[in-house]
Amino acid sequence: MEYFLQQLINGVTLGSIYGLIAIGYTMVYGIIGMINFAHGDIFMIGAFSGLIVIVGLGALGLGSAGGLIVVAIIGAMIVAAAYGWALERIAYRPLRGSFRLAALISAIGMSILLQNYVQLAQGARVKPLQPMIEGGFVLMQKGDFTVNLSYLQIIIVGTTIALMTGFSLLIAKTSIGRSQRACEQDMKMAALLGLDVNRTISLTFMMGAALAAVAGMMFLIYYGVIDFFIGFLVGIKAFTAAVLGGIGSLPGAMLGGLLIGLIETFWSGYFTVEYKDVAAFAILVLVLIFRPTGLLGRPEVEKV
Amino acid sequence: MTVLLDLEGVAAYYGAIQALNGIDIQVMEGEIVTLIGANGAGKSTTLMTICGSPQARSGRIMYAGEDITNRPTHQIMRMGISQSPEGRRIFPRMTVLENLQMGAAFGDPAHFDADLEEVFSLFPRLKERIAQRGGTLSGGEQQMLAIGRALMSRPRLLLLDEPSLGIAPMLVRQIFAAIKEINAAKGVTILLVEQNAFHALRLAHRGYVLVNGAIQMSGTGSELLARPEIRAAYLEGGAV
Ligand SMILES: Nc1ncnc2c1ncn2[C@@H]1O[C@H](COP(=O)(O)OP(=O)(O)O)[C@@H](O)[C@H]1O
Ligand SMILES: [Mg+2]
């Protein structure tokens, strides 16, 4: 029971990170129907940008830990949004309307490019970060086993809930969100109503990238190490989360992220840590075979 | 009367296929002009080319004294041109209200409530369905919504593509009455594409007949209605 509770806490924390990244996959798919395989690397860029801000400002002796983190998150979101914007402009827009595989190949190419660029610029070794937020609550104790809920976990889950709520409201209630949904449902009609479709697509990439950057910061502080390759595995798991929830669906991405985080954590907790990545990929395969529309996705029938 | 829309020798293509073969159309401010022709003649392409999608490959499109031939669609649509397109293209997973809000996306927000009330007084049915999703409306309701959405930007020129297609005859009459009112009461200039030539020619001040991407004839509504070749090709045996 204690062990279960601890895994649950860890799983929800990890699921928050996956969920935030999954939103970017699902939004881009919703609007232009492509899988942005470089999205995981935008997450990685976000983590690196945050680390650079923290190390840089920390070296100057500026700011408290809390202040540093807030500045780093904002910096990481801006940098990642700029990369997201550039990615779409350079690698995807010229191929829009071309055959589907072209954009996919371009995305994989951009993913490799970003990884290699960061490897060259920052080196291949892992980058450590001193723990910045320590301590927490002991929820339960039985023998030597304690159930811990760290402050950091509370912050990660709390931030995720706040961001997801805010983002859902943005999509459902604001004119920006309405424009994005209009483009998703009928891009040609959206243009006939005066909408600058290219701008809306750019904005979608930037929003997804900014959320991935927040996830990157969480990953950095939670695990304390990053390298140029983190975007690959985390990216594929977040993609799996988006597919599990139903690609194109915003609540689906959030639910899928949570589920993948829980599944991975419980799998490592109860079976074997070595094969923890297999769990996520097995789910990807099973969903694609038995329920390609995912849990909350809608069938692709009403396209006119 | 001033010329609001002027197409001069406009040609349009889909890839290598030519759909418009150098057409000339003039629409005066305040007029209802109809464009009739058989299926595949290029009527929808004409309306879409005015909106820049596809862009005209040759010729010139003037609107309100400005050359809009090579402008992107969203810019053209912010100049006071609106379209209710073929197939209606209602956003299926948005409510009636949201669809109308999309129509007003670039208007003055201060006008929104008044414009919404005007659309509802033109099509009271829409008010009853305000929270219903577009995709679940009947064809006639969707057509009303498409026209209402096009009106929400307070257009000077309204392009209507086959508003009577696939709609129950009783609703067709209602929609044609609304078109007449939009023109007469609001002073909106209308370019109406129709296969239902009888209704369209009776309603319109002038008409053009499009055959295989070229204008074959033009004249006032009553002139064209009286032409035997029009009666033979588009009226007799056709839906009334
Ligand atoms: N998206 C498209 N791609 C290729 N050809 C098209 C497309 N739309 C229309 N056409 C062709 O262009 C011609 C004119 O079509 P259209 O303007 O839709 O005619 P109408 O509205 O008068 O029925 C037709 O031959 C049609 O097959
Ligand atoms: Mg047509």
Side-chain angles (χ1 to χ4, degrees):
Chain A
M1 174 59 203
E2 291 74 20
Y3 190 61
F4 176 88
L5 189 61
Q6 185 67 64
Q7 298 301 338
L8 188 67
I9 293 170
N10 297 347
V12 171
T13 308
L14 184 60
S16 298
I17 295 176
Y18 289 153
L20 283 177
I21 307 170
I23 290 175
Y25 281 106
T26 222
M27 298 253 312
V28 163
Y29 183 84
I31 204 160
I32 55 173
M34 75 162 287
I35 305 296
N36 174 15
F37 268 115
H39 186 55
D41 303 289
I42 298 283
F43 153 82
M44 178 270 293
I45 298 260
F48 267 89
S49 310
L51 181 62
I52 290 168
V53 172
I54 290 174
V55 171
L57 291 183
L60 297 173
L62 298 172
S64 60
L68 271 184
I69 290 174
V70 170
V71 173
I73 286 183
I74 293 170
M77 288 172 86
I78 293 171
V79 172
Y83 272 88
W85 178 84
L87 184 67
E88 192 273 331
R89 276 314 290 264
I90 296 167
Y92 304 150
R93 192 178 298 179
L95 295 170
R96 211 185 298 154
S98 172
F99 59 107
R100 281 173 91 91
L101 211 51
L104 192 67
I105 293 166
S106 185
I108 293 170
M110 289 310 285
S111 168
I112 296 169
L113 178 87
L114 289 174
Q115 284 172 26
N116 283 280
Y117 153 66
V118 173
Q119 185 182 8
L120 270 178
Q122 299 292 328
R125 274 181 299 134
V126 299
K127 303 278 175 291
L129 176 72
Q130 297 300 317
M132 297 190 73
I133 299 173
E134 288 177 294
F137 301 105
V138 176
L139 294 185
M140 249 190 247
Q141 185 144 22
K142 191 175 191 188
D144 325 331
F145 190 81
T146 57
V147 179
N148 295 300
L149 173 62
S150 69
Y151 296 139
L152 183 55
Q153 286 175 320
I154 295 174
I155 292 171
I156 288 178
V157 175
T159 307
T160 302
I161 291 173
L163 278 176
M164 286 183 173
T165 309
F167 199 71
S168 303
L169 286 174
L170 178 89
I171 298 297
K173 303 279 183 215
T174 68
S175 66
I176 293 172
R178 206 157 47 232
S179 302
Q180 283 176 313
R181 285 182 288 135
C183 283
E184 181 215 312
Q185 292 175 33
D186 188 341
M187 205 176 282
K188 199 163 178 179
M189 188 63 226
L192 280 181
L193 295 171
L195 210 75
D196 186 344
V197 168
N198 282 329
R199 232 183 111 229
T200 306
I201 292 173
S202 289
L203 200 64
T204 305
F205 270 84
M206 291 167 75
M207 287 176 173
L211 290 178
V214 177
M217 277 295 297
M218 290 173 172
F219 186 95
L220 168 71
I221 297 171
Y222 192 55
Y223 291 105
V225 286
I226 55 171
D227 63 37
F228 68 92
F229 201 58
I230 54 167
F232 179 73
L233 216 51
V234 175
I236 292 190
K237 286 176 188 164
F239 167 63
T240 303
V243 172
L244 173 63
I247 189 108
S249 156
L250 187 57
M254 300 174 188
L255 176 67
L258 185 63
L259 289 176
I260 293 293
L262 286 170
I263 289 165
E264 185 178 320
T265 308
F266 278 102
W267 180 284
S268 345
Y270 287 96
F271 301 107
T272 147
V273 147
E274 282 83 44
Y275 291 110
K276 75 179 167 78
D277 300 335
V278 173
F281 300 135
I283 286 169
L284 180 57
V285 172
L286 289 177
V287 172
L288 287 176
I289 293 173
F290 293 108
R291 200 179 161 87
T293 57
L295 297 173
L296 304 180
R298 65 201 151 71
E300 279 283 312
V301 285
E302 51 186 324
K303 270 254 169 354
V304 268
Chain B
M1 272 205 288
T2 57
V3 180
L4 185 59
L5 180 74
D6 194 0
L7 279 67
E8 298 168 20
V10 170
Y13 294 73
Y14 294 105
I17 301 164
Q18 184 161 19
L20 296 181
N21 202 350
I23 61 169
D24 299 295
I25 292 176
Q26 278 200 345
V27 181
M28 307 294 161
E29 183 108 54
E31 266 190 320
I32 301 180
V33 171
T34 187
L35 187 59
I36 59 174
N39 209 354
K43 305 182 297 295
S44 299
T45 304
T46 303
L47 295 193
M48 289 306 293
T49 305
I50 293 167
C51 299
S53 166
Q55 284 194 337
R57 209 177 282 183
S58 62
R60 198 166 70 136
I61 303 175
M62 300 288 292
Y63 165 75
E66 286 190 66
D67 187 339
I68 59 167
T69 318
N70 294 312
R71 297 211 185 170
T73 300
H74 69 271
Q75 279 182 19
I76 295 171
M77 307 319 282
R78 291 185 202 183
M79 295 175 73
I81 301 181
S82 263
Q83 187 177 163
S84 163
E86 179 163 46
R88 308 182 277 264
R89 304 191 90 134
I90 295 304
F91 299 113
R93 293 181 299 285
M94 286 193 188
T95 63
V96 166
L97 179 63
E98 286 177 318
N99 270 280
L100 293 170
Q101 285 172 325
M102 281 309 300
F106 297 94
D108 182 346
H111 294 160
F112 182 79
D113 290 336
D115 293 350
L116 193 65
E117 276 316 309
E118 286 208 28
V119 168
F120 286 157
S121 72
L122 206 55
F123 301 117
R125 189 86 75 101
L126 293 180
K127 191 167 188 172
E128 297 162 22
R129 316 256 157 180
I130 188 160
Q132 197 173 323
R133 287 175 151 221
T136 64
L137 299 175
S138 75
E141 290 161 351
Q142 286 195 348
Q143 188 59 62
M144 294 175 192
L145 182 54
I147 297 174
R149 180 178 61 184
L151 288 174
M152 288 300 290
S153 61
R154 295 200 165 182
R156 199 165 156 195
L157 174 64
L158 179 61
L159 310 174
L160 299 172
D161 197 341
E162 303 216 38
S164 71
L165 192 69
I167 288 173
M170 213 188 74
L171 285 182
V172 172
R173 213 158 300 139
Q174 200 182 329
I175 282 171
F176 271 80
I179 294 170
K180 191 166 186 172
E181 189 185 328
I182 292 164
N183 173 256
K186 298 185 210 292
V188 179
T189 306
I190 293 175
L191 179 54
L192 169 69
V193 157
E194 262 301 334
Q195 274 197 60
N196 192 332
F198 178 71
H199 262 118
L201 287 172
R202 280 215 318 190
L203 180 68
H205 303 109
R206 288 187 307 117
Y208 291 84
V209 180
L210 194 61
V211 177
N212 285 331
I215 299 291
Q216 201 189 46
M217 239 182 283
S218 67
T220 66
S222 40
E223 269 168 25
L224 288 175
L225 267 176
R227 300 276 280 259
E229 59 269 47
I230 298 278
R231 302 194 74 89
Y234 303 108
L235 298 179
E236 255 116 62
V240 174

